[in-house]
Coordinates of all heavy atoms in Angstrom, one line a residue:
V1 N 44.1 12.6 -4.7 CA 43.2 13.2 -3.7 C 43.0 14.7 -4.0 O 41.8 15.1 -3.9 CB 43.7 12.9 -2.3 CG1 42.9 13.6 -1.3 CG2 43.9 11.5 -2.0
A2 N 44.0 15.4 -4.3 CA 43.9 16.8 -4.6 C 42.9 17.1 -5.8 O 42.1 18.0 -5.7 CB 45.2 17.5 -4.8
R3 N 43.1 16.3 -6.8 CA 42.2 16.5 -8.0 C 40.8 16.2 -7.7 O 39.9 16.8 -8.2 CB 42.7 15.7 -9.2 CG 44.1 16.1 -9.8 CD 44.1 17.5 -10.2 NE 43.1 17.8 -11.3 CZ 42.7 19.0 -11.6 NH1 43.1 20.1 -11.0 NH2 41.8 19.2 -12.5
A4 N 40.6 15.2 -6.8 CA 39.2 14.8 -6.4 C 38.6 15.9 -5.7 O 37.4 16.2 -5.8 CB 39.3 13.5 -5.6
L5 N 39.3 16.6 -4.8 CA 38.8 17.7 -4.1 C 38.4 18.8 -5.1 O 37.3 19.4 -5.0 CB 39.8 18.3 -3.1 CG 39.4 19.6 -2.4 CD1 38.2 19.3 -1.5 CD2 40.6 20.1 -1.6
V6 N 39.2 19.1 -6.0 CA 38.9 20.2 -7.0 C 37.7 19.7 -7.8 O 36.8 20.6 -8.0 CB 40.1 20.4 -8.0 CG1 39.7 21.3 -9.2 CG2 41.3 21.0 -7.2
H7 N 37.6 18.5 -8.2 CA 36.4 18.0 -9.0 C 35.1 18.2 -8.1 O 34.1 18.5 -8.7 CB 36.6 16.6 -9.5 CG 37.6 16.4 -10.6 ND1 37.5 17.1 -11.8 CD2 38.7 15.7 -10.6 CE1 38.5 16.8 -12.5 NE2 39.3 15.9 -11.9
G8 N 35.2 17.8 -6.9 CA 34.1 18.0 -6.0 C 33.6 19.4 -5.8 O 32.4 19.7 -5.9
I9 N 34.6 20.3 -5.6 CA 34.2 21.8 -5.5 C 33.6 22.2 -6.8 O 32.6 22.9 -6.8 CB 35.5 22.6 -5.1 CG1 35.9 22.3 -3.7 CG2 35.2 24.1 -5.3 CD1 37.2 22.8 -3.3
E10 N 34.3 21.9 -7.9 CA 33.8 22.4 -9.2 C 32.4 21.8 -9.6 O 31.6 22.4 -10.2 CB 34.8 22.1 -10.3 CG 36.1 22.9 -10.2 CD 35.9 24.4 -10.1 OE1 35.1 24.9 -11.0 OE2 36.5 25.0 -9.3
A11 N 32.1 20.6 -9.2 CA 30.8 19.9 -9.4 C 29.7 20.6 -8.7 O 28.6 20.8 -9.2 CB 30.9 18.5 -9.0
I12 N 30.0 21.1 -7.5 CA 29.0 21.8 -6.7 C 28.9 23.2 -7.1 O 27.8 23.8 -7.1 CB 29.4 21.8 -5.2 CG1 29.4 20.3 -4.6 CG2 28.6 22.7 -4.3 CD1 30.1 20.2 -3.3
D13 N 30.0 23.8 -7.6 CA 30.0 25.2 -8.2 C 29.5 26.2 -7.1 O 28.5 26.9 -7.4 CB 29.3 25.3 -9.5 CG 29.5 26.6 -10.2 OD1 30.5 27.3 -9.9 OD2 28.7 27.0 -11.0
P14 N 30.1 26.2 -6.0 CA 29.6 27.1 -4.9 C 29.9 28.6 -5.2 O 30.8 28.9 -6.0 CB 30.4 26.7 -3.7 CG 31.7 26.2 -4.3 CD 31.3 25.6 -5.6
L15 N 29.1 29.5 -4.6 CA 29.4 30.9 -4.6 C 30.7 31.3 -4.0 O 31.4 32.2 -4.4 CB 28.2 31.6 -4.0 CG 28.3 33.2 -4.0 CD1 28.2 33.7 -5.4 CD2 27.1 33.7 -3.2
A16 N 31.0 30.6 -2.9 CA 32.2 30.8 -2.1 C 32.7 29.5 -1.5 O 32.0 28.6 -1.4 CB 32.0 31.8 -1.0
V17 N 34.0 29.5 -1.2 CA 34.6 28.3 -0.6 C 35.2 28.7 0.8 O 35.9 29.7 0.8 CB 35.7 27.7 -1.5 CG1 36.4 26.5 -0.9 CG2 35.1 27.3 -2.8
V18 N 35.0 27.9 1.8 CA 35.6 28.1 3.1 C 36.4 26.8 3.4 O 35.8 25.8 3.4 CB 34.6 28.4 4.2 CG1 35.3 28.5 5.6 CG2 33.8 29.6 3.9
I19 N 37.7 27.0 3.5 CA 38.6 25.8 3.8 C 39.0 26.0 5.3 O 39.7 27.0 5.6 CB 39.8 25.8 2.8 CG1 39.3 25.9 1.4 CG2 40.6 24.6 3.1 CD1 40.4 26.0 0.4
T20 N 38.8 24.9 6.1 CA 38.8 25.1 7.5 C 40.1 24.5 8.2 O 40.2 24.7 9.4 CB 37.6 24.5 8.2 OG1 37.5 23.1 7.9 CG2 36.3 25.2 7.7
D21 N 41.0 23.9 7.5 CA 42.2 23.4 8.2 C 43.3 23.3 7.2 O 43.2 23.3 6.0 CB 41.9 22.1 8.9 CG 41.7 20.9 8.0 OD1 42.3 20.7 7.0 OD2 40.8 20.1 8.3
Y22 N 44.5 23.2 7.8 CA 45.8 23.2 7.1 C 45.8 22.1 6.0 O 46.2 22.4 4.9 CB 46.9 23.1 8.1 CG 48.3 23.0 7.4 CD1 48.9 24.2 7.0 CD2 48.9 21.8 7.1 CE1 50.1 24.2 6.3 CE2 50.1 21.8 6.4 CZ 50.7 23.0 6.1 OH 51.9 23.0 5.4
D23 N 45.5 20.9 6.3 CA 45.5 19.8 5.4 C 44.6 20.1 4.2 O 45.0 19.9 3.0 CB 45.2 18.5 6.0 CG 46.2 18.0 7.0 OD1 47.4 18.5 6.9 OD2 45.8 17.3 7.9
A24 N 43.5 20.6 4.4 CA 42.5 20.9 3.3 C 43.1 22.0 2.4 O 42.9 22.0 1.2 CB 41.1 21.2 3.8
V25 N 43.7 23.0 3.1 CA 44.2 24.2 2.3 C 45.4 23.6 1.4 O 45.5 24.0 0.3 CB 44.7 25.3 3.2 CG1 45.5 26.3 2.5 CG2 43.6 25.9 4.0
S26 N 46.2 22.8 2.0 CA 47.3 22.2 1.2 C 46.8 21.4 0.0 O 47.3 21.5 -1.1 CB 48.2 21.3 2.1 OG 48.8 22.0 3.1
L27 N 45.7 20.6 0.2 CA 45.1 19.8 -0.9 C 44.6 20.7 -1.9 O 44.8 20.5 -3.1 CB 44.1 18.9 -0.3 CG 44.5 17.5 0.2 CD1 43.3 16.8 0.8 CD2 45.2 16.7 -0.8
A28 N 43.8 21.7 -1.5 CA 43.2 22.7 -2.5 C 44.3 23.4 -3.3 O 44.2 23.6 -4.5 CB 42.3 23.6 -1.8
S29 N 45.3 23.8 -2.6 CA 46.4 24.5 -3.2 C 47.1 23.6 -4.3 O 47.4 24.1 -5.4 CB 47.5 24.9 -2.1 OG 48.5 25.7 -2.7
A30 N 47.3 22.4 -3.9 CA 47.9 21.4 -4.9 C 46.9 21.1 -6.1 O 47.3 21.1 -7.2 CB 48.3 20.1 -4.2
G31 N 45.7 20.9 -5.7 CA 44.7 20.6 -6.8 C 44.4 21.8 -7.7 O 44.3 21.5 -8.9
Y32 N 44.4 23.0 -7.3 CA 44.2 24.1 -8.1 C 45.5 24.7 -8.7 O 45.5 25.7 -9.4 CB 43.4 25.2 -7.4 CG 41.9 25.0 -7.3 CD1 41.4 24.4 -6.2 CD2 41.1 25.3 -8.3 CE1 40.0 24.2 -6.1 CE2 39.7 25.1 -8.3 CZ 39.2 24.5 -7.1 OH 37.9 24.3 -7.1
N33 N 46.6 24.1 -8.2 CA 47.9 24.6 -8.6 C 48.1 26.1 -8.4 O 48.5 26.9 -9.3 CB 48.2 24.2 -10.1 CG 49.7 24.4 -10.4 OD1 50.5 24.2 -9.6 ND2 50.0 24.7 -11.7
K34 N 47.7 26.5 -7.2 CA 47.7 27.9 -6.8 C 48.0 28.0 -5.3 O 47.4 27.3 -4.5 CB 46.3 28.5 -7.0 CG 46.2 30.0 -6.6 CD 44.7 30.4 -6.6 CE 44.4 31.8 -6.3 NZ 45.3 32.6 -5.5
P35 N 49.0 28.8 -5.0 CA 49.3 28.9 -3.6 C 48.2 29.6 -2.8 O 47.8 30.7 -3.3 CB 50.6 29.7 -3.5 CG 50.7 30.4 -4.9 CD 49.9 29.6 -5.8
L36 N 47.7 29.0 -1.8 CA 46.7 29.6 -1.0 C 47.3 30.0 0.4 O 47.9 29.1 1.0 CB 45.5 28.6 -0.8 CG 44.8 28.3 -2.1 CD1 43.8 27.1 -1.8 CD2 44.0 29.5 -2.6
S37 N 47.0 31.2 0.8 CA 47.5 31.6 2.1 C 46.6 31.3 3.2 O 45.4 31.4 3.1 CB 47.8 33.2 2.1 OG 48.6 33.5 1.0
L38 N 47.2 30.9 4.4 CA 46.4 30.7 5.6 C 45.9 32.0 6.2 O 46.5 33.0 6.1 CB 47.2 29.9 6.6 CG 47.5 28.5 6.1 CD1 48.5 27.8 7.1 CD2 46.3 27.6 6.0
E39 N 44.7 31.9 6.9 CA 44.2 33.0 7.6 C 44.0 34.2 6.7 O 44.3 35.3 7.0 CB 45.0 33.4 8.8 CG 45.5 32.3 9.7 CD 44.3 31.4 10.2 OE1 43.2 31.9 10.4 OE2 44.6 30.2 10.4
S40 N 43.4 33.9 5.5 CA 43.3 35.0 4.5 C 42.0 34.8 3.7 O 41.3 33.8 3.8 CB 44.5 34.9 3.5 OG 44.4 33.8 2.7
H41 N 41.8 35.8 2.9 CA 40.7 35.8 1.9 C 41.4 35.8 0.6 O 42.3 36.5 0.3 CB 39.9 37.1 2.1 CG 38.7 37.2 1.1 ND1 38.8 37.7 -0.1 CD2 37.5 36.7 1.2 CE1 37.7 37.6 -0.7 NE2 36.8 37.0 0.1
E42 N 41.0 34.8 -0.2 CA 41.6 34.6 -1.5 C 40.5 34.6 -2.6 O 39.3 34.6 -2.4 CB 42.2 33.2 -1.5 CG 43.3 32.9 -0.5 CD 44.7 33.3 -1.0 OE1 44.8 33.4 -2.2 OE2 45.5 33.5 -0.2
Q43 N 41.0 34.5 -3.9 CA 40.2 34.3 -5.0 C 40.6 32.9 -5.6 O 41.7 32.6 -5.8 CB 40.3 35.3 -6.1 CG 39.7 36.6 -5.8 CD 38.2 36.6 -5.7 OE1 37.6 35.6 -6.0 NE2 37.6 37.7 -5.4
L44 N 39.6 32.1 -5.8 CA 39.8 30.7 -6.3 C 39.0 30.5 -7.6 O 37.8 30.3 -7.5 CB 39.5 29.7 -5.2 CG 40.0 28.3 -5.4 CD1 41.5 28.2 -5.5 CD2 39.5 27.4 -4.2
L45 N 39.6 30.6 -8.7 CA 38.9 30.6 -10.0 C 37.6 31.5 -10.0 O 36.5 31.1 -10.4 CB 38.5 29.1 -10.3 CG 39.6 28.2 -10.7 CD1 39.1 26.8 -11.1 CD2 40.5 28.7 -11.8
G46 N 37.8 32.7 -9.6 CA 36.7 33.7 -9.6 C 35.8 33.6 -8.4 O 34.9 34.4 -8.3
R47 N 36.0 32.7 -7.5 CA 35.2 32.6 -6.3 C 35.9 33.2 -5.1 O 37.1 33.1 -5.0 CB 34.9 31.1 -5.9 CG 34.1 30.4 -6.8 CD 33.9 28.9 -6.3 NE 33.3 28.2 -7.3 CZ 33.9 27.4 -8.2 NH1 35.2 27.4 -8.2 NH2 33.3 26.8 -9.1
S48 N 35.2 33.7 -4.2 CA 35.7 34.1 -2.9 C 36.1 32.9 -2.1 O 35.3 31.9 -2.1 CB 34.8 35.0 -2.1 OG 34.6 36.2 -2.7
C49 N 37.2 32.9 -1.4 CA 37.7 31.8 -0.7 C 38.3 32.2 0.6 O 39.2 33.1 0.6 CB 38.6 31.0 -1.5 SG 39.4 29.5 -0.7
C50 N 37.9 31.7 1.7 CA 38.6 31.9 3.0 C 39.4 30.7 3.4 O 38.8 29.6 3.4 CB 37.6 32.3 4.1 SG 36.9 33.9 4.0
C51 N 40.6 30.8 3.8 CA 41.5 29.7 4.2 C 41.9 29.9 5.7 O 42.4 30.9 6.0 CB 42.7 29.7 3.3 SG 42.4 29.5 1.6
F52 N 41.6 28.9 6.5 CA 42.0 28.9 7.9 C 42.9 27.7 8.2 O 42.7 26.6 7.6 CB 40.7 28.8 8.7 CG 39.8 29.9 8.6 CD1 38.7 29.8 7.7 CD2 40.0 31.1 9.2 CE1 37.8 30.9 7.6 CE2 39.1 32.2 9.1 CZ 38.0 32.0 8.3
S53 N 43.8 27.9 9.1 CA 44.7 26.8 9.5 C 44.0 25.8 10.4 O 44.3 24.6 10.4 CB 46.0 27.3 10.1 OG 45.7 28.1 11.3
N54 N 43.2 26.3 11.3 CA 42.4 25.5 12.2 C 41.2 26.3 12.7 O 41.3 27.0 13.7 CB 43.3 25.0 13.4 CG 42.6 23.9 14.2 OD1 41.4 24.0 14.4 ND2 43.3 22.9 14.6
F55 N 40.1 26.2 12.0 CA 38.9 27.0 12.3 C 38.4 26.7 13.7 O 38.0 27.6 14.4 CB 37.9 26.8 11.2 CG 36.7 27.7 11.2 CD1 36.9 29.0 10.9 CD2 35.5 27.3 11.6 CE1 35.9 29.9 10.9 CE2 34.4 28.2 11.6 CZ 34.6 29.5 11.3
T56 N 38.4 25.4 14.0 CA 37.8 25.0 15.4 C 38.6 25.7 16.5 O 38.0 26.3 17.4 CB 37.9 23.5 15.5 OG1 37.2 22.9 14.5 CG2 37.3 23.1 16.9
N57 N 39.9 25.7 16.4 CA 40.7 26.3 17.5 C 40.6 27.8 17.4 O 40.6 28.5 18.5 CB 42.2 26.0 17.3 CG 42.5 24.6 17.8 OD1 41.7 23.9 18.4 ND2 43.7 24.1 17.5
L58 N 40.4 28.4 16.3 CA 40.2 29.8 16.1 C 39.0 30.3 16.9 O 38.9 31.4 17.5 CB 40.1 30.2 14.7 CG 40.3 31.7 14.3 CD1 41.6 32.2 14.7 CD2 40.1 31.8 12.8
L59 N 37.9 29.5 16.9 CA 36.7 29.8 17.5 C 36.7 29.6 19.0 O 35.7 29.9 19.7 CB 35.5 29.0 16.9 CG 35.2 29.3 15.5 CD1 34.1 28.4 15.0 CD2 35.0 30.7 15.2
A60 N 37.8 29.2 19.6 CA 37.9 28.9 21.0 C 38.1 30.2 21.8 O 37.9 30.2 23.0 CB 39.1 27.9 21.3
T61 N 38.5 31.3 21.2 CA 38.7 32.6 21.9 C 37.9 33.7 21.3 O 37.5 33.6 20.1 CB 40.2 33.0 21.9 OG1 40.6 33.3 20.6 CG2 41.1 31.9 22.5
Q62 N 37.6 34.7 22.0 CA 36.9 35.9 21.5 C 37.7 36.5 20.4 O 37.1 36.9 19.4 CB 36.5 36.9 22.6 CG 35.5 36.4 23.5 CD 34.2 36.0 22.8 OE1 33.7 36.8 21.9 NE2 33.6 34.9 23.2
E63 N 39.0 36.7 20.6 CA 39.9 37.3 19.6 C 39.9 36.5 18.3 O 39.8 37.0 17.2 CB 41.3 37.4 20.1 CG 42.3 38.0 19.1 CD 41.9 39.5 18.7 OE1 41.2 40.2 19.4 OE2 42.3 39.9 17.6
G64 N 39.9 35.1 18.4 CA 39.9 34.3 17.3 C 38.5 34.4 16.5 O 38.5 34.4 15.3
K65 N 37.4 34.5 17.3 CA 36.1 34.6 16.7 C 36.1 35.9 15.9 O 35.5 36.0 14.8 CB 35.0 34.6 17.7 CG 34.8 33.3 18.3 CD 33.8 33.3 19.4 CE 33.6 32.0 20.1 NZ 32.7 32.1 21.2
R66 N 36.6 37.0 16.4 CA 36.7 38.3 15.7 C 37.5 38.2 14.4 O 37.0 38.7 13.3 CB 37.2 39.4 16.6 CG 36.2 39.9 17.6 CD 36.7 41.2 18.2 NE 37.8 40.9 19.2 CZ 37.7 40.5 20.4 NH1 36.5 40.3 20.9 NH2 38.7 40.3 21.2
K67 N 38.6 37.5 14.5 CA 39.4 37.3 13.3 C 38.7 36.5 12.2 O 38.7 36.8 11.0 CB 40.7 36.6 13.6 CG 41.7 37.5 14.3 CD 43.0 36.7 14.7 CE 44.0 37.6 15.4 NZ 45.2 36.8 15.8
A68 N 38.0 35.4 12.6 CA 37.3 34.6 11.7 C 36.2 35.4 11.1 O 36.0 35.3 9.8 CB 36.8 33.3 12.4
W69 N 35.4 36.1 11.9 CA 34.3 36.8 11.4 C 34.7 37.9 10.4 O 34.1 38.2 9.4 CB 33.5 37.4 12.5 CG 32.3 38.2 12.1 CD1 32.0 39.5 12.3 CD2 31.2 37.7 11.3 NE1 30.9 39.9 11.7 CE2 30.3 38.8 11.0 CE3 30.9 36.5 10.7 CZ2 29.2 38.7 10.3 CZ3 29.7 36.4 10.0 CH2 28.9 37.5 9.8
K70 N 35.9 38.5 10.7 CA 36.4 39.6 9.8 C 36.6 39.0 8.4 O 36.3 39.7 7.4 CB 37.7 40.1 10.3 CG 38.3 41.2 9.5 CD 39.6 41.7 10.1 CE 40.3 42.7 9.3 NZ 41.6 43.1 9.8
R71 N 37.1 37.8 8.3 CA 37.3 37.2 7.0 C 36.0 36.7 6.4 O 35.8 36.8 5.2 CB 38.3 36.1 7.1 CG 39.7 36.6 7.4 CD 40.7 35.5 7.7 NE 42.0 36.1 8.0 CZ 42.4 36.5 9.2 NH1 41.6 36.2 10.3 NH2 43.6 37.0 9.4
L72 N 35.2 36.0 7.2 CA 34.0 35.4 6.6 C 33.0 36.5 6.1 O 32.3 36.2 5.1 CB 33.3 34.6 7.7 CG 34.1 33.3 8.1 CD1 33.4 32.6 9.3 CD2 34.1 32.3 6.9
K73 N 33.0 37.7 6.7 CA 32.0 38.6 6.3 C 32.4 39.3 4.9 O 31.6 40.0 4.3 CB 31.7 39.7 7.3 CG 32.8 40.6 7.7 CD 32.4 41.6 8.8 CE 33.5 42.5 9.1 NZ 33.1 43.4 10.2
R74 N 33.6 39.0 4.5 CA 34.0 39.4 3.1 C 33.4 38.5 2.0 O 33.5 38.9 0.8 CB 35.5 39.5 3.0 CG 36.1 40.6 3.9 CD 37.6 40.7 3.7 NE 37.9 41.1 2.3 CZ 39.1 41.0 1.7 NH1 40.1 40.5 2.4 NH2 39.2 41.3 0.4
L75 N 32.9 37.4 2.4 CA 32.4 36.4 1.4 C 31.1 37.0 0.8 O 30.3 37.7 1.5 CB 32.1 35.1 2.0 CG 33.3 34.3 2.5 CD1 32.8 33.1 3.3 CD2 34.2 33.9 1.4
P76 N 30.8 36.7 -0.4 CA 29.5 37.3 -1.0 C 28.3 36.7 -0.3 O 28.3 35.6 0.2 CB 29.6 36.8 -2.5 CG 30.6 35.7 -2.5 CD 31.5 35.9 -1.3
S77 N 27.2 37.4 -0.4 CA 26.0 37.1 0.3 C 24.9 37.0 -0.8 O 24.8 37.8 -1.7 CB 25.6 38.1 1.3 OG 24.3 37.8 1.8
L78 N 24.0 36.0 -0.7 CA 22.9 35.9 -1.6 C 21.7 36.8 -1.1 O 20.9 37.1 -1.9 CB 22.3 34.5 -1.6 CG 23.2 33.5 -2.3 CD1 22.6 32.0 -2.2 CD2 23.4 33.8 -3.8
V79 N 21.8 37.2 0.1 CA 20.8 38.1 0.7 C 21.2 39.5 0.6 O 22.3 39.9 1.0 CB 20.5 37.7 2.2 CG1 19.5 38.6 2.8 CG2 20.1 36.3 2.3
R80 N 20.4 40.3 0.0 CA 20.7 41.8 -0.1 C 19.9 42.5 0.9 O 18.7 42.3 1.1 CB 20.2 42.3 -1.5 CG 21.0 41.6 -2.6 CD 22.4 42.1 -2.7 NE 23.1 41.4 -3.8 CZ 24.3 41.1 -3.8 NH1 25.1 41.3 -2.8 NH2 24.8 40.5 -4.9
P81 N 20.6 43.4 1.7 CA 19.8 44.2 2.7 C 18.8 45.1 2.1 O 18.8 45.5 1.0 CB 20.9 44.9 3.4 CG 22.2 44.7 2.7 CD 22.0 43.7 1.6

C-alpha cells in the first residue's frame, strides 16, 4: 500500500504534496523511506510537503486555522504577484 501511494504521487508529479492525516503520513513515510514529521513543512524528493495529523480537526478552531495556514502558505505558488 505504501509503495502504491508513492507510485501515485510520482505519477501525478505534483508541485507540492499536502498529507492530511496520521495514517497517510505514516504510509508516505514508509513508502518514501523517509521520516516525515507531523504538523510540519518538509521536503519530499525535492517537493514541498505539509504533513498534518488531522487536518479536519485542525480547521475546527481559529487557532488551528492559523497554524494550518502558516504551514500551507509556505508551499510554492504557480501564481506570481
Side-chain angles (χ1 to χ4, degrees):
V1 175
R3 292 302 301 160
L5 175 65
V6 170
H7 289 304
I9 291 171
E10 293 303 315
I12 296 168
D13 192 22
L15 179 63
V17 176
V18 177
I19 305 175
T20 60
D21 66 43
Y22 178 82
D23 292 336
V25 172
S26 294
L27 278 175
S29 183
Y32 280 98
N33 196 28
K34 176 188 183 341
L36 296 171
S37 301
L38 294 170
E39 311 306 330
S40 69
H41 181 268
E42 301 269 343
Q43 287 290 359
L44 193 60
L45 290 183
R47 293 182 188 91
S48 289
C49 177
C50 283
C51 300
F52 298 98
S53 59
N54 190 321
F55 192 69
T56 302
N57 286 350
L58 195 60
L59 297 180
T61 66
Q62 289 301 317
E63 179 62 25
K65 289 177 185 177
R66 281 191 288 278
K67 286 179 182 179
W69 180 240
K70 180 180 177 182
R71 289 174 183 90
L72 290 172
K73 69 182 179 180
R74 292 186 61 196
L75 295 173
S77 172
L78 290 176
V79 178
R80 298 287 182 216

